[in-house]
Amino acid sequence: MKQKYIFVTGGVMSGIGKGVTTASILLILQSKGYKATAMKIDPYVNVDAGTMNPVEHGEIFVTDDGGECDQDIGNYERFSEKSLNKNNYLTTGKVYQSVINKERNLEYKGKCVEVVPHIPNETIARIKKAGKEADADFVLIEIGGTVGEYQNLLFLEAARMMHLKNPKDVLFVLVSYLPIPSTIGEMKTKPTQNANRILNEAGIQPDIIVGRSSHPIDETRKEKISTFCNIEPDDVISAPDLESIYEIPLLLDKEKTGEKILKKLELKKKKKDLSEWKNFITQMKNLKKKVRIAIVGKYFETGDFVLTDSYLSVIEAIKHASWNLNHKEEIVWLSAEKYEKDEKAVKELKQYDGIIIPGGFGTRGVEGKINVIKYCRKNNIPFLGLCLGMQLAVIEFARNVCKIKDASSSEFEKNCTHPIIDVMPDQKSILKRKSYGGTMRLGSYKCNIKPKTTSFKAYKRKEIDERHRHRFEVNNEYREDLEKKGLIISGVNPDHNLIEIVEIKKHPFFVGVQFHPEYKSRPLSPHPLFSEFIKKSIQR
Ligand code: GLN
């Protein structure tokens, strides 16, 4: 079968679930027996998402091959249960960088290199490459941002050019918002009509419009959209707000989205169905008991609002593990800085069933997190430290158990006397060159697990691999001291002898991992470490 391409664009405003819609269509096509992959094209000039502050952009998702991507890639992986790679993520910066490199290498053979067609052509080449290398029947391409903004125009142009060449292989989906202003009390279609018009101006006619709103779209409104947006009423898909994003594939399936796509592309449904997913949703919607998990971090305060996007995969991993253990998650956000001096606040931590300290960068909030870890360690509260969370657990242990009073990380204090956490020699030269983008220890690395440890009990395997994103490591010079005082090094990278997992004895669950297990948790297959952590939290 020739590859088919489905472009997903967004109308009216961002944040209405374009990524989840793309991930859901991906799952639906898979459930009809097709091999599908998805990619995200972000309009910003950053070459990848790695150099952005999470408050600015949300979580940075990491693929096995070390790509630092937008969080939508995480949704694609969670919905499709498949691992993606760097091919699945593109930005304006990446496209321009490669065009400029080619120009420098004379690959355009003396031609004048222009924004059009060279930038869209490079985009098209990369879309095709992603599809070919994944050996996919379908490539879904989500174009970041909203139609009508200046930044993503060249990607719409690439989509238009692909359609022009192969009209039978390319489909357009517009995910648009339908507001219901409280003063009017009626669902309005005009913003969506305008979004459609903007696409038309770019030479694109949507084949399907997914209408996002707080309520379902009625027939009257479907007719209206049909008339003004040149599509059949049947091709307007009603997508009202739902309790969980994981219900969206079922909703789109009920609206026959998969069948419509296949029909338009003249394809037949092969066997297979969504029954496993359906069972999972049924179970998830009937949870009665609760487990209360606190996350101590610093990337969720923006003005008067709490934005939890920065920790998206951690949240999802908690959900997957809890649901699988028949509990509904209750996640509480705790700001690290509060625990720096407030003794009373620290004592109040006992109300939680389990505590997670996720990844992070820089000094802010660090001392508060160390106080939280100390309390968890001493009071038998299940604790899971992720990346920075693990590094801080080692620092806390060094300070308070090994009595190395000024134990620290050279990330916080460049010339500290006891850099329990330090940079590797190769990282030192990278930092000297100020070559920050894409140079952390990124992607999947092997780890050997020590038998008879909590980690082994969770993984039930001796060899694992997990995804990394950090520059600093536990300093092997202190390894002996730490082990002598009881820190268990339960996971080590066999190739570089780096400490990957630490834990302590006589504690229900106290585990710190240098990697990010959250990236590999999926709804139908929760991550074993999260499962074990949640299990102990439930027991508490
Ligand atoms: N800042 C730490 C490092 O670079 C931890 C990074 C993280 O938590 N992802 O090593």
Side-chain angles (χ1 to χ4, degrees):
M1 175 180 148
K2 240 171 112 188
Q3 246 124 26
K4 307 283 182 189
Y5 304 93
I6 303 175
F7 285 91
V8 182
T9 54
V12 180
M13 63 182 199
S14 66
I16 53 168
K18 191 159 37 85
V20 172
T21 304
T22 308
S24 302
I25 297 176
L26 181 65
L27 172 63
I28 288 174
L29 291 171
Q30 272 184 199
S31 79
K32 307 262 178 254
Y34 286 94
K35 219 171 156 188
T37 191
M39 68 189 285
K40 171 92 190 266
I41 308 186
D42 266 329
Y44 42 66
V45 183
N46 302 59
V47 173
D48 57 38
T51 50
M52 274 181 276
N53 184 322
V55 176
E56 183 94 5
H57 181 68
E59 173 187 81
I60 316 302
F61 189 81
V62 179
T63 50
D64 279 328
D65 63 346
E68 295 180 280
C69 312
D70 181 74
Q71 58 193 28
D72 280 324
I73 307 299
N75 280 328
Y76 306 160
E77 284 203 356
R78 286 186 280 269
F79 280 66
S80 69
E81 297 251 330
K82 293 225 165 58
S83 293
L84 302 175
N85 57 45
K86 283 182 187 170
N87 282 344
N88 299 82
Y89 188 55
L90 203 57
T91 65
T92 296
K94 212 187 262 179
V95 175
Y96 269 87
Q97 192 183 48
S98 86
V99 169
I100 291 168
N101 285 344
K102 283 185 184 168
E103 183 274 329
R104 292 288 80 186
N105 298 338
L106 255 169
E107 284 179 47
Y108 294 107
K109 300 194 169 64
K111 276 226 161 81
C112 172
V113 183
E114 297 182 272
V115 170
V116 178
H118 292 96
I119 297 298
N121 277 349
E122 178 68 25
T123 309
I124 294 170
R126 282 171 173 264
I127 292 172
K128 290 188 171 167
K129 178 171 175 252
K132 286 235 161 60
E133 287 187 8
D135 191 26
D137 302 321
F138 285 97
V139 187
L140 288 146
I141 308 109
E142 178 189 349
I143 298 182
T146 313
V147 296
E149 66 184 71
Y150 194 66
Q151 289 204 80
N152 55 20
L153 264 180
L154 289 170
F155 298 126
L156 294 181
E157 181 64 2
R160 183 191 69 80
M161 285 161 69
M162 277 185 90
H163 179 257
L164 185 71
K165 285 238 169 85
N166 294 298
K168 287 198 160 161
D169 297 331
V170 177
L171 211 77
F172 296 104
V173 176
L174 169 66
V175 182
S176 191
Y177 182 62
L178 297 133
I180 307 176
S182 58
T183 44
I184 310 172
E186 183 200 355
M187 183 184 284
K188 304 302 279 180
T189 64
K190 192 65 98 305
T192 292
Q193 295 175 34
N194 286 335
N196 182 71
R197 192 163 301 131
I198 294 166
L199 268 182
N200 289 169
E201 278 168 16
I204 292 171
Q205 169 59 48
D207 297 282
I208 288 174
I209 295 181
V210 177
R212 286 279 301 112
S213 188
S214 54
H215 290 72
I217 310 174
D218 59 6
E219 289 309 314
T220 320
R221 246 81 10 192
K222 281 192 178 179
E223 288 287 346
K224 212 164 193 176
I225 295 171
S226 163
T227 309
F228 291 100
C229 300
N230 338 307
I231 67 170
E232 292 295 327
D234 215 28
D235 290 332
V236 180
I237 290 172
S238 166
D241 289 349
L242 293 173
E243 204 185 304
S244 162
I245 56 166
Y246 295 114
E247 294 176 65
I248 294 171
L250 298 187
L251 172 90
L252 296 186
D253 193 48
K254 219 174 96 203
E255 293 267 322
K256 301 247 172 297
T257 312
E259 283 78 358
K260 284 173 190 165
I261 289 175
L262 293 182
K263 196 170 159 211
K264 285 182 191 294
L265 293 170
E266 293 170 9
L267 296 169
K268 289 216 164 63
K269 171 181 167 180
K270 302 177 187 175
K271 275 237 143 32
K272 274 186 121 176
D273 58 59
L274 272 174
S275 55
E276 225 190 326
W277 199 269
K278 274 184 196 148
N279 294 342
F280 145 68
I281 298 292
T282 314
Q283 188 206 352
M284 184 257 288
K285 293 194 72 129
N286 286 303
L287 299 170
K288 305 246 150 44
K289 290 176 271 183
K290 271 193 184 169
V291 57
R292 206 160 176 237
I293 304 296
I295 300 182
V296 185
K298 67 169 178 181
Y299 298 124
F300 41 76
E301 288 148 332
T302 62
D304 289 343
F305 299 92
V306 171
L307 186 86
T308 56
D309 255 20
S310 316
Y311 303 105
L312 189 75
S313 292
V314 179
I315 302 172
E316 297 308 311
I318 295 172
K319 289 181 186 170
H320 305 157
S322 308
W323 298 344
N324 196 259
L325 292 162
N326 272 315
H327 279 67
K328 180 152 177 57
E329 83 294 345
E330 187 191 334
I331 298 175
V332 185
W333 297 96
L334 305 177
S335 174
E337 280 153 295
K338 192 172 157 205
Y339 299 92
E340 266 160 25
K341 291 197 182 78
D342 192 344
E343 293 267 337
K344 201 174 139 242
V346 175
K347 285 197 181 114
E348 280 166 9
L349 292 169
K350 65 169 171 290
Q351 61 183 300
Y352 304 110
D353 297 331
I355 292 179
I356 292 183
I357 301 207
F361 293 83
T363 324
R364 182 167 69 88
V366 155
E367 291 305 320
K369 290 179 190 172
I370 292 179
N371 287 339
V372 173
I373 295 170
K374 184 177 171 189
Y375 189 81
C376 290
R377 180 174 60 77
K378 291 190 141 184
N379 294 280
N380 287 331
I381 299 176
F383 164 79
L384 179 60
L386 308 170
C387 206
L388 179 71
M390 172 265 206
Q391 297 175 352
L392 298 179
V394 179
I395 292 174
E396 190 278 319
F397 192 88
R399 283 188 194 169
N400 300 316
V401 182
C402 304
K403 304 290 175 212
I404 308 172
K405 253 174 109 193
D406 39 12
S408 189
S409 162
S410 49
E411 180 180 6
F412 319 139
E413 244 180 285
K414 212 168 169 224
N415 299 312
C416 58
T417 19
H418 289 293
I420 303 285
I421 307 295
D422 201 3
V423 275
M424 297 283 96
D426 58 329
Q427 281 290 343
K428 273 188 188 143
S429 58
I430 289 172
L431 289 177
K432 215 170 187 177
R433 277 185 274 125
K434 292 199 160 74
S435 168
Y436 300 116
T439 58
M440 281 190 251
R441 187 173 169 219
L442 289 168
S444 203
Y445 283 89
K446 275 192 240 156
C447 171
N448 288 349
I449 310 259
K450 201 182 204 166
K452 293 188 191 140
T453 56
T454 305
S455 311
F456 189 83
K457 200 174 155 204
Y459 280 103
K460 300 183 179 65
R461 271 185 295 150
K462 263 200 233 151
E463 281 168 31
I464 57 158
D465 44 73
E466 291 283 4
R467 297 181 192 171
H468 292 246
R469 181 172 185 258
H470 55 100
R471 228 179 266 286
F472 296 79
E473 311 276 351
V474 180
N475 188 342
N476 271 327
E477 298 205 359
Y478 292 90
R479 195 158 166 172
E480 235 188 277
D481 294 352
L482 293 164
E483 283 190 295
K484 239 190 239 159
K485 291 282 181 197
L487 190 75
I488 298 165
I489 291 161
S490 52
V492 174
N493 170 274
D495 302 317
H496 304 97
N497 190 27
L498 293 169
I499 299 178
E500 309 283 42
I501 317 182
V502 298
E503 49 187 82
I504 57 169
K505 268 195 215 132
K506 294 189 189 135
H507 191 289
F509 189 99
F510 188 98
V511 177
V513 290
Q514 184 57 84
F515 44 81
H516 291 274
E518 67 272 21
Y519 292 141
K520 296 221 301 195
S521 174
R522 276 103 194 243
L524 303 184
S525 44
H527 193 283
L529 268 185
F530 275 87
S531 293
E532 192 62 25
F533 164 71
I534 296 291
K535 201 162 127 194
K536 295 297 172 192
S537 303
I538 291 169
Q539 279 169 17
R540 184 181 146 78

